Amino acid sequence: MKKQWWHGKIAYQIYPKSFYDSNGDGIGDIRGIIEKLDYLKELGVDIVWISPIYQSPFVDQGYDISDYYKIDPAFGTMEDFDELLKEAKKRDMYILMDLVINHCSDQHEWFKKALADPEGEYGGYFYFEKGKDGKAPSNYRSYFGGSAWEPVSGTDLYYLHLFAKEQPDLNWENKKVREDLFNMVNWWLDKGLAGFRIDAIINIKKTDGFPDYEPDGDDGLVRCTRMIEEAEGIGQFLQELRTETFQKHDAFSVGEVFNMKEGELEHFVGDEGYFSTMFDFAPLETTLGGHGWYDAPGYDFIRWRKAVTESQLLCQGVGFLANIIENHDEPRGASTYLPDYAQNSDGIKMLATASILLRGLPFLYQGQEIGMKNCRMGNIEEYDDIDTKNQYQVAMEAGLSPEEAMEVCFRHSRDNARTPMQWSCEENAGFTSGMPWLKVNPNYTKINVEEEEKDASSVLAYYKELLALRKAPDYVEVFTYGDFVPAYDGEEMLFAYHRKNENKDILIVTNFGTERTKFPLEKSGKLLLKNREDVLLEEDGLILPKCGAAVVEC
Ligand code: GLC
Ligand code: CA
């Protein structure tokens, strides 16, 4: 495998609106990020991905961009951004932006011009199609609910939006569109950006002719991914994106890729792959329902372990996946990937150990390092997220009571991860001196950075140790390039694996069960890290209590 500058680094996702507000308007901003760079550096972070900060009407929290070349005033100015780049560089840190190029905002000038003249030049930037018998051109359901086609008033045309109707899909078949997008990507990279996280990218290739499919719901529609899964030839677009932009700058790229076709992993993340890496969503997929959040299966350790293990083995020798336990589209990992009895700081440290030392690039999400959890909202109005509002409706239409639908949102809402970062015990968790744009989780008096910095046994202190271990000069090689080898697979409630190369053999063992248990060790070893005092390494074995985690050099 070719060595790359980003191998062995630690990445961290910032959801800027909720990270840190520097001017008291209740919205996190770029100056707030600058103020917290030292905090991130001390945590062990090298690469920072910032969710969209471009000019946007915020129908989907910035994932609807109306000008790719402007910073939204809510976040600050281009001068602030340039300063952020400079300050990051001073600290040997790298900044990634979010690249949202499957769609733009309906307020983008391209789309305004297109609507004014769908037959003209900019009409060709989008997908305008004639309706069929007074109905939409095909029966696709958008990701956020309802038809993926929106009628254009005064015409017999519809435009395609796989997400909200304010997020029209860009037509990648049009060379002009690709050129404009590539120019924009290069413009940012020329500024000194280290790379991008690439949003919803699998959606850029559509199936010719937009065929109808068998409906999969009472609404007569079918999820739009049905059409995306059938589309052939995305590779050409992605290869062009890479050679025209990332490759020229030796930039880092991480894809948000769902629904990849089998056998394509190497094309995506191999040495000559479209992206440096892509997120491993296999663990997340074990928690998704067939029709919506309401019919999602509960957490199942065995399924989770199987998904993680399979991804690790699949990617070995091919490339690297980016490992996460949460992001801005998912509920908190501490509330999702732990049995009820383990939803405490020992359990959270155990989950961290299991996840951070996997083969691949660790991506932390803001607040994960202090053990932030899902936030209970009083009623549906307290939620901001477009997806949550839709899923609440979906649950009610499936026959759930309002209380049950709220419970579904509590378990799955994207806003669980979007509540403000908890910095201190002060009002509003020290996030803002004003009125926060989204509710602060009331547990901030206990779970916050300031308190955890004072406490050597906190989740935050443990994360620092864990990241430092992963990057320690003696171990960075084995944790970066070493193989992943499952261990103790016969043990029902253990997740354990080796990271191994010619020189080193590190064993990671985590006990998700309820029993204190002793496990024989094949070789003698040295305990590098443990999450509880009563994790013991004895001559003939390792003793792990419930929620115990150990890292042993064999
Ligand atoms: C991605 C983003 C998500 C957004 C969607 C549409 O999945 O992560 O937040 O809603 O794309 O851009
Ligand atoms: Ca602000």
Side-chain angles (χ1 to χ4, degrees):
M1 203 164 296
K2 255 199 252 162
K3 299 230 163 159
Q4 307 286 356
W5 64 262
W6 49 270
H7 287 170
K9 302 232 180 306
I10 307 283
Y12 184 99
Q13 179 188 357
I14 287 183
Y15 195 70
K17 204 166 175 181
S18 301
F19 190 58
Y20 186 59
D21 175 20
S22 72
N23 63 352
D25 64 359
I27 296 177
D29 44 52
I30 296 172
R31 304 215 71 86
I33 298 174
I34 297 174
E35 282 187 47
K36 297 296 182 185
L37 280 180
D38 286 330
Y39 164 77
L40 295 176
K41 181 78 189 173
E42 207 196 309
L43 176 60
V45 171
D46 309 291
I47 300 175
V48 178
W49 152 32
I50 306 174
S51 278
I53 50 177
Y54 311 88
Q55 182 180 294
S56 167
F58 290 95
V59 169
D60 183 21
Q61 291 304 351
Y63 284 90
D64 46 323
I65 296 172
S66 56
D67 191 332
Y68 288 98
Y69 290 91
K70 290 213 174 97
I71 298 289
D72 195 279
F75 296 122
T77 62
M78 193 60 83
E79 288 68 44
D80 295 338
F81 184 75
D82 290 338
E83 193 177 324
L84 171 65
L85 287 179
K86 224 173 68 199
E87 291 299 321
K89 194 155 188 207
K90 264 195 213 161
R91 294 166 175 81
D92 284 325
M93 294 169 86
Y94 304 83
I95 302 289
L96 311 178
M97 283 178 86
D98 215 307
L99 192 57
V100 189
I101 48 179
N102 171 68
H103 46 267
C104 60
S105 160
D106 64 345
Q107 299 306 306
H108 195 290
E109 67 161 337
W110 294 338
F111 192 70
K112 289 190 191 162
K113 288 180 184 162
L115 266 193
D117 179 13
E119 309 295 333
E121 184 186 353
Y122 287 94
Y125 271 48
F126 300 90
Y127 293 102
F128 286 94
E129 296 281 327
K130 283 207 166 73
K132 274 193 313 207
D133 319 319
K135 288 202 312 228
S138 63
N139 64 343
Y140 309 149
R141 185 187 309 110
S142 73
Y143 285 103
F144 296 150
S147 172
W149 293 100
E150 182 69 11
V152 180
S153 67
T155 73
D156 57 353
L157 295 172
Y158 291 72
Y159 70 85
L160 181 69
H161 60 90
L162 298 187
F163 293 89
K165 69 177 188 325
E166 296 86 353
Q167 294 169 298
D169 280 54
L170 286 160
N171 182 355
W172 274 68
E173 305 295 334
N174 182 342
K175 191 154 191 337
K176 271 288 288 156
V177 170
R178 300 201 301 278
E179 275 170 13
D180 281 353
L181 293 176
F182 299 161
N183 286 339
M184 177 272 292
V185 172
N186 286 323
W187 185 84
W188 284 102
L189 291 173
D190 285 337
K191 257 184 175 298
L193 210 66
F196 288 97
R197 173 266 188 181
I198 299 132
D199 185 74
I201 194 67
I202 207 76
N203 298 289
I204 62 173
K205 186 74 191 183
K206 282 40 174 186
T207 297
D208 275 350
F210 298 116
D212 277 329
Y213 299 98
E214 187 67 34
D216 62 8
D218 297 339
D219 54 4
L221 304 176
V222 57
R223 62 194 169 87
C224 58
T225 43
R226 186 70 186 75
M227 176 272 287
I228 293 299
E229 281 160 7
E230 205 148 285
E232 294 288 341
I234 193 174
Q236 244 168 317
F237 291 159
L238 296 181
Q239 197 51 258
E240 194 181 329
L241 171 61
R242 171 185 182 235
T243 50
E244 293 299 318
T245 64
F246 312 142
Q247 200 175 24
K248 292 182 179 163
H249 292 82
D250 194 18
F252 171 82
S253 57
V254 50
E256 185 199 26
V257 180
F258 286 96
N259 310 98
M260 187 190 69
K261 294 195 174 63
E262 233 184 279
E264 289 216 298
L265 191 63
E266 172 140 31
H267 298 158
F268 277 77
V269 298
D271 271 346
E272 299 303 322
Y274 316 133
F275 304 123
S276 310
T277 179
M278 63 189 224
F279 293 109
D280 181 14
F281 290 121
L284 168 72
E285 274 160 5
T286 66
T287 68
L288 301 182
H291 300 94
W293 293 348
Y294 75 90
D295 69 348
Y299 165 74
D300 178 342
F301 169 71
I302 304 289
R303 288 183 63 209
W304 175 81
R305 178 178 65 183
K306 184 163 177 280
V308 177
T309 303
E310 283 175 0
S311 289
Q312 287 282 299
L313 295 174
L314 194 69
C315 206
Q316 196 131 282
V318 176
F320 290 107
L321 291 175
N323 300 312
I324 57 168
I325 67 163
E326 63 201 47
N327 65 26
H328 68 295
D329 291 331
E330 298 176 28
R332 289 289 178 177
S335 302
T336 307
Y337 299 111
L338 285 169
D340 290 342
Y341 54 79
Q343 297 200 3
N344 50 46
S345 67
D346 288 336
I348 293 170
K349 292 174 191 170
M350 168 181 72
L351 180 62
T353 316
S355 165
I356 296 288
L357 299 179
L358 290 171
R359 189 178 169 285
L361 186 69
F363 263 79
L364 279 77
Y365 177 73
Q366 71 185 40
Q368 175 184 331
E369 75 277 22
I370 56 171
M372 279 180 68
K373 294 188 174 161
N374 285 356
C375 179
R376 210 172 265 288
M377 301 289 185
N379 52 54
I380 189 66
E381 279 74 45
E382 263 193 283
Y383 285 105
D384 171 276
D385 172 34
I386 183 171
D387 204 11
T388 305
K389 293 185 192 287
N390 172 51
Q391 288 291 340
Y392 179 79
Q393 280 311 321
V394 170
M396 301 266 276
E397 275 154 30
L400 275 68
S401 70
E403 293 72 30
E404 289 165 336
M406 279 301 287
E407 194 58 34
V408 165
C409 295
F410 172 59
R411 270 184 281 119
H412 295 278
S413 173
R414 307 200 294 180
D415 279 346
N416 282 309
R418 299 176 180 186
T419 60
M421 176 74 182
Q422 294 163 205
W423 293 105
S424 72
C425 295
E426 279 164 49
E427 209 181 342
N428 298 320
F431 159 72
T432 179
S433 59
M435 175 66 181
W437 74 277
L438 187 67
K439 178 173 170 175
V440 175
N441 193 323
N443 69 13
Y444 77 88
T445 50
K446 295 209 179 62
I447 300 176
N448 69 66
V449 171
E450 195 178 77
E451 289 299 305
E452 296 192 28
E453 276 179 337
K454 288 188 266 185
D455 175 2
S457 69
S458 66
V459 171
L460 179 60
Y462 188 78
Y463 258 101
K464 285 185 190 169
E465 279 182 74
L466 191 55
L467 299 182
L469 173 63
R470 193 179 161 121
K471 298 207 298 184
D474 284 350
Y475 298 102
V476 65
E477 190 73 20
V478 67
F479 283 130
T480 307
Y481 300 106
D483 283 344
F484 166 91
V485 184
Y488 299 111
D489 351 27
E491 293 287 344
E492 213 185 329
M493 289 311 279
L494 275 198
F495 179 49
Y497 54 90
H498 295 265
R499 298 298 313 280
K500 251 186 195 166
N501 62 15
E502 316 76 69
N503 308 316
K504 283 206 187 308
D505 178 359
I506 314 289
L507 173 67
I508 293 96
V509 193
T510 52
N511 182 1
F512 282 71
T514 50
E515 303 294 319
R516 179 178 173 84
T517 319
K518 184 161 183 173
F519 305 96
L521 282 182
E522 279 168 35
K523 307 178 209 163
S524 64
K526 176 171 130 200
L527 200 54
L528 298 179
L529 187 68
K530 59 179 175 179
N531 70 334
R532 289 172 52 125
E533 278 309 310
D534 55 356
V535 171
L536 298 174
L537 182 63
E538 299 187 335
E539 213 133 277
D540 56 341
L542 179 66
I543 300 177
L544 277 192
K546 150 179 146 183
C547 296
V551 183
V552 180
E553 180 166 9
C554 303

